């Protein structure tokens, strides 16, 4: 019987790694870096005990279990933007969520709390502060969210994805991402990716995505541009978003020569490898993945909010690695004038790709795991 089994038989405790609690959720923009950090911690110490914390209404309820990690949930406590009854109820709701968070940390015997932002993080940061649990933070956006601004008051271990982000104690580490993306070799993987996605290996390829939820304005412009794209010899992979597939007037799925639509791609590294040019929103995760993989891109920032998506894209655009167009200006005419000539110009695309890769950071997951392990052992 191996020594480890003898220890168990004798009732002796078996050594285990640190208990790491990771908080964040709501959108893929928070969950993706959380999972990348969790995987990097596991690579460092396969015996680490990992628990993710989110809310019962976020995408984490699906994505975290699918990734093989346990998930606990607490109440969602959004901060009201204007005076209302919800604002009056905020202190009581926040206090309740902090109690829930503290119970999770106690039950997990947490050695460290890792927060990536979102509603769930503020109660966890406050509970960790109360318990004396070390805190590690990652900020994904160019404009730091309120939760991470609060958390950064309690720790000096703060990583950020963008150099221009202003957050107390933050240092540039990049965006933690899946190894399949950060290690992508587009040239080597292009043919296999195109075959996997049902595309012609040899045709100029435009890939369009509005993210997992899709983007109706982008979808409308692409639908109106299919004839022009086909006439230019371009094939288009259109990732429409879940529940947003496009139909023709007769109700049948929209179809055209060289056009393929899917609602979702399981593994965006396939889309990145297949694309000669990518048209997409400029969420923080997408921008960082595009840079790491060296994908020439046209960014169409989400037109609502505080202009954050345009800020996310600014570094790549100013470096000549990407183009940017306002959502209101992304019309069939603009696409025919700006996108179609670019898809069919290999030299320009190669230059954009090289500039993007120069700006890409591909080891953020390891950098964050180093911070986590240091904090857990402090």
């Amino acid at each position: 019987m191996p020594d480890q089994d003898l220890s168990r038989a004798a009732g002796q405790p078996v050594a285990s790694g640190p208990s790491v609690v990771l908080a964040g959720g709501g959108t893929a923009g928070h969950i993706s870096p959380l999972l990348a950090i969790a995987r990097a911690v596991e690579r460092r110490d396969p015996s680490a005990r990992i628990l993710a914390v989110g809310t019962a209404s976020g995408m984490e309820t699906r994505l975290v279990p699918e990734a093989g990690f346990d998930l606990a949930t607490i109440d969602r406590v959004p901060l009201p933007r204007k005076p209302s009854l919800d604002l009056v109820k905020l202190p009581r709701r926040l206090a309740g969520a902090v109690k829930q968070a503290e119970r999770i940390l106690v039950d997990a015997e947490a050695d460290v709390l890792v927060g990536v932002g979102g509603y769930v993080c503020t109660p966890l940061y406050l509970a960790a502060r109360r318990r004396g649990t070390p805190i590690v933070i990652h900020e994904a956006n160019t404009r730091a969210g309120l939760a991470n601004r609060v958390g950064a008051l309690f720790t000096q271990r703060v990583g950020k994805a963008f150099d221009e982000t202003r957050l107390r104690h933050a240092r540039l580490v990049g965006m933690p991402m899946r190894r399949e993306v950060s290690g992508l070799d587009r040239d080597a993987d292009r043919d296999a990716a195109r075959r996997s996605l049902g595309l012609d290996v040899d045709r100029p390829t435009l890939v369009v995505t509005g993210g997992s939820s899709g983007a109706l304005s982008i979808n409308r412009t692409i639908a109106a541009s299919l004839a022009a794209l086909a006439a230019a010899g371009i094939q288009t992979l259109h990732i429409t978003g879940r529940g947003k597939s496009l139909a023709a007037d007769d109700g049948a799925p929209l179809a055209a020569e060289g056009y393929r639509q899917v609602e979702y791609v399981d593994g965006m590294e396939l889309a990145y490898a297949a694309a000669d040019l990518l048209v997409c929103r400029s969420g923080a995760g997408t921008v960082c993945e595009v840079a790491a993989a060296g994908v020439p891109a046209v960014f169409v920032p989400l037109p609502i909010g505080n202009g954050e998506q345009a800020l996310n894209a600014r570094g790549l655009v100013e470096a000549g690695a990407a183009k940017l167009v306002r959502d209101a200006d992304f019309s069939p005419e603009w696409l025919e004038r700006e996108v179609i000539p670019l898809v069919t110009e290999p030299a320009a695309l190669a230059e954009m790709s090289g500039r993007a890769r120069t700006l890409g950071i591909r080891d953020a997951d390891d950098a964050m795991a180093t911070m986590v392990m240091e904090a857990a052992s402090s």
Side-chain angles (χ1 to χ4, degrees):
M1 181 181 291
D3 291 345
Q4 187 177 16
D5 290 339
L6 283 171
S7 296
R8 288 196 178 116
Q12 299 175 9
V14 178
S16 63
S19 173
V20 181
V21 175
L22 300 104
T27 67
H30 287 135
I31 302 163
S32 295
L34 181 153
L35 294 176
I37 295 169
R39 294 186 186 101
V41 169
E42 271 196 333
R43 289 195 299 271
R44 293 288 184 92
D45 187 346
S47 67
R49 292 165 288 149
I50 294 176
L51 174 68
V53 184
T55 70
S57 59
M59 293 177 67
E60 59 269 24
T61 57
R62 176 176 59 86
L63 296 178
V64 169
E66 284 181 358
F69 297 108
D70 292 331
L71 176 71
T73 61
I74 65 172
D75 293 341
R76 181 177 179 269
V77 187
L79 178 66
R81 300 293 183 183
K82 56 186 178 180
S84 65
L85 183 59
D86 284 339
L87 185 60
V88 174
K89 294 178 179 179
L90 178 63
R92 179 175 55 82
R93 289 175 172 171
L94 181 59
V98 171
K99 286 183 180 179
Q100 293 173 333
E102 190 165 11
R103 173 51 54 192
I104 288 171
L105 295 176
V106 169
D107 289 347
E109 299 178 331
D111 293 305
V112 58
L113 169 70
V114 184
V116 297
Y119 294 130
V120 72
C121 281
T122 301
L124 266 296
Y125 291 148
L126 295 173
R129 172 70 168 177
R130 181 182 294 176
R131 291 191 69 244
T133 302
I135 297 171
V136 176
I137 294 172
H138 183 268
E139 175 55 56
N141 295 298
T142 49
R143 287 179 174 164
L146 176 61
N148 280 352
R149 295 202 305 272
V150 171
L153 299 174
F154 309 144
T155 181
Q156 295 187 20
R157 295 183 174 95
V158 182
K160 60 182 180 178
F162 294 94
D163 189 49
E164 55 266 45
T165 301
R166 297 294 168 254
L167 183 62
R168 182 184 174 103
H169 302 306
R171 64 181 179 88
L172 180 65
V173 297
M175 180 72 78
M177 63 186 70
R178 296 169 57 244
R179 284 295 177 93
E180 291 84 355
V181 174
S182 62
L184 181 65
D185 184 334
R186 293 178 62 242
D187 290 336
D189 296 339
R190 179 173 292 111
D191 288 1
R194 289 183 179 178
R195 291 191 188 98
S196 176
L197 294 168
L199 300 172
D200 188 313
V201 169
D202 298 317
R203 289 183 68 173
T205 302
L206 176 68
V207 174
V208 181
T209 176
S212 58
S213 299
L216 291 175
S217 59
I218 293 177
N219 288 354
R220 284 194 294 266
T221 291
I222 296 303
S225 303
L226 297 185
L229 288 164
I234 295 169
Q235 66 180 340
T236 303
L237 173 67
H238 188 183
I239 308 169
T240 62
R242 294 187 186 277
K244 292 186 173 65
S245 59
L246 303 182
D249 292 339
D250 61 0
L254 186 64
E257 196 278 324
Y259 175 72
R260 171 167 165 71
Q261 66 163 308
V262 296
E263 289 192 1
Y264 182 76
V265 169
D266 186 15
M268 278 300 291
E269 64 274 7
L270 291 173
Y272 295 152
D276 288 311
L277 181 68
L278 180 73
V279 171
C280 56
R281 293 296 196 203
S282 49
T286 299
V287 170
C288 292
E289 288 185 353
V290 160
V295 187
V298 172
F299 293 121
V300 189
L302 192 68
I304 60 176
N306 58 7
E308 183 176 275
Q309 286 209 352
L311 289 176
N312 292 342
R314 185 169 62 186
L316 288 179
V317 173
E318 290 179 349
K323 291 180 177 291
L324 185 142
V325 56
R326 292 172 59 245
D327 186 83
D329 295 334
F330 185 62
S331 64
E333 294 76 20
W334 192 94
L335 184 144
E336 188 167 357
R337 184 174 68 250
E338 301 289 342
V339 172
I340 287 178
L342 184 55
V343 181
T344 55
E345 184 49 64
L349 292 170
E351 184 173 357
M352 291 175 69
S353 176
R355 291 181 177 183
R357 279 193 61 84
T358 298
L359 296 176
I361 301 176
R362 286 167 278 278
D363 62 352
D365 55 342
D366 280 333
M368 289 303 301
T370 296
M371 270 197 250
V372 172
M373 301 305 279
E374 288 174 350
S377 62
S378 62

